[in-house]
Amino acid sequence: MPASLSFFLRACCAVAALGAAGFALSGCASMSETVAPAFADPAKYELYDCKQLEAERKALATRTADLQRLMDKAQTGAGGAVVSELAYRNDYVAVRGSAQLAEDAWRRNRCRETPPNAPPAATAPQRPDIKPAPKR
């Protein structure tokens, strides 16, 4: 009987330790959302206009999707979770932080999406036709 009690106590301690470790590490999964802006320059998009912000947001969305795809692909192999974290997580968090700051600047500037069929805006006003003065 004493041997089974000792085994039971060890098993309970092991389960408790695993539960505590799981609880402690569960915060790491949501950390990227709150830490992401810390990896980006907060003043980077201060002087961007809406056209620049629109292009930057699209580029950041593409880069985020690419990194997510690479992370998913890495996780399919042996030891993939470790490789994914070591190779791509820092870049992913930095890009997400930049995307959040670009989105904040987009809202602050009250920008609107450019419709896909919209003609490009004229960059400079056109000069009026100048005719020579009539001869007398």
Side-chain angles (χ1 to χ4, degrees):
M1 189 87 146
S4 65
L5 182 60
S6 170
F7 176 76
F8 180 72
L9 285 176
R10 277 192 232 146
C12 285
C13 288
V15 169
L18 287 174
F23 181 74
L25 293 176
S26 68
C28 295
S30 63
M31 187 184 304
S32 65
E33 297 300 320
T34 57
V35 175
F39 283 88
D41 180 16
K44 181 175 183 178
Y45 302 110
E46 290 296 318
L47 300 177
Y48 278 42
D49 63 5
C50 289
K51 186 175 181 180
Q52 292 170 318
L53 281 171
E54 185 172 18
E56 187 70 15
R57 287 174 65 227
K58 287 179 183 177
L60 289 169
T62 301
R63 180 69 179 146
T64 302
D66 289 344
L67 287 169
Q68 184 65 49
R69 196 169 34 257
L70 288 169
M71 288 169 61
D72 291 343
K73 184 178 178 182
Q75 289 182 354
T76 60
V82 174
V83 171
S84 173
E85 290 293 318
L86 291 176
Y88 304 115
R89 178 60 70 179
N90 287 342
D91 288 339
Y92 181 76
V93 170
V95 170
R96 289 286 307 260
S98 293
Q100 285 178 1
L101 292 173
E103 191 65 34
D104 291 345
W106 178 265
R107 276 190 247 111
R108 191 172 42 253
N109 291 345
R110 296 186 182 103
C111 297
R112 302 275 181 230
E113 293 283 336
T114 303
N117 300 352
T123 56
Q126 297 193 3
R127 284 182 40 175
D129 290 334
I130 299 174
K131 297 179 183 176
K135 293 184 181 178
R136 293 190 185 196

